[in-house]
Amino acid sequence: MLKKQINVVAAVIVRNDEIFCAQRGLGGSLGGMWEFPGGKIESGETPRQALEREIQEELLCTVTVADEVVTTTYEYDFGIVTLTTFYCELVDGEPQLTEHEATKWLKRGELGALEWAPADIPAVEIIQAA
């Protein structure tokens, strides 16, 4: 059986040299793992439009989407996820906890201390090397 293809985008929100990290809810898939927040691209949306909408919905704040960090594909048991991460700047509001278990602002060098969802790891490595 063909696995479901899931196209998602995620925000690497940078502020004062710190990066916003979000812990997935404990009840869902990959529960408790850390990720860059974001979500699925809806039909008719560009990746950047999807990311602005998802951050508004999930974190109740506004970002501007800047350069792409990396696109990676990872095969989970529930499907094949293609994740594109973008650097983002917070322009309005403060990220609120609506779907996530916890959030942290960390310096680049501290990112490795968290247990990241597998699809996010390549982006973490690139950011740490930047």
Side-chain angles (χ1 to χ4, degrees):
M1 187 177 124
L2 278 174
K3 287 201 174 175
K4 191 174 166 189
Q5 285 279 349
I6 308 164
N7 292 314
V8 294
V9 285
V12 179
I13 304 171
V14 183
R15 181 176 73 185
N16 303 334
D17 213 27
E18 291 188 321
I19 292 165
F20 184 77
C21 311
Q23 187 179 29
R24 295 178 65 91
L26 299 179
S29 62
L30 307 174
M33 294 187 114
W34 290 81
E35 65 176 2
F36 297 115
K40 293 188 182 82
I41 302 171
E42 305 291 346
S43 78
E45 282 183 323
T46 67
R48 283 179 163 82
Q49 287 169 333
L51 191 50
E52 287 178 4
R53 176 187 52 75
E54 283 284 352
I55 296 303
Q56 189 73 56
E57 288 173 5
E58 253 183 55
L59 298 173
L60 310 177
C61 61
T62 307
V63 295
T64 51
V65 180
D67 296 342
E68 182 178 320
V69 179
V70 67
T71 298
T72 55
T73 300
Y74 191 85
E75 189 170 336
Y76 291 101
D77 52 8
F78 56 80
I80 297 168
V81 171
T82 298
L83 170 67
T84 304
T85 42
F86 293 92
Y87 284 113
C88 292
E89 188 183 344
L90 195 57
V91 287
D92 188 47
E94 186 66 27
Q96 306 292 313
L97 219 53
T98 62
E99 296 179 17
H100 291 95
E101 197 67 31
T103 60
K104 290 182 179 183
W105 289 94
L106 293 179
K107 299 225 175 282
R108 279 182 162 79
E110 299 169 331
L111 295 176
L114 300 179
E115 186 186 358
W116 290 90
D120 287 270
I121 290 172
V124 170
E125 290 171 349
I126 287 169
I127 293 158
Q128 285 187 299

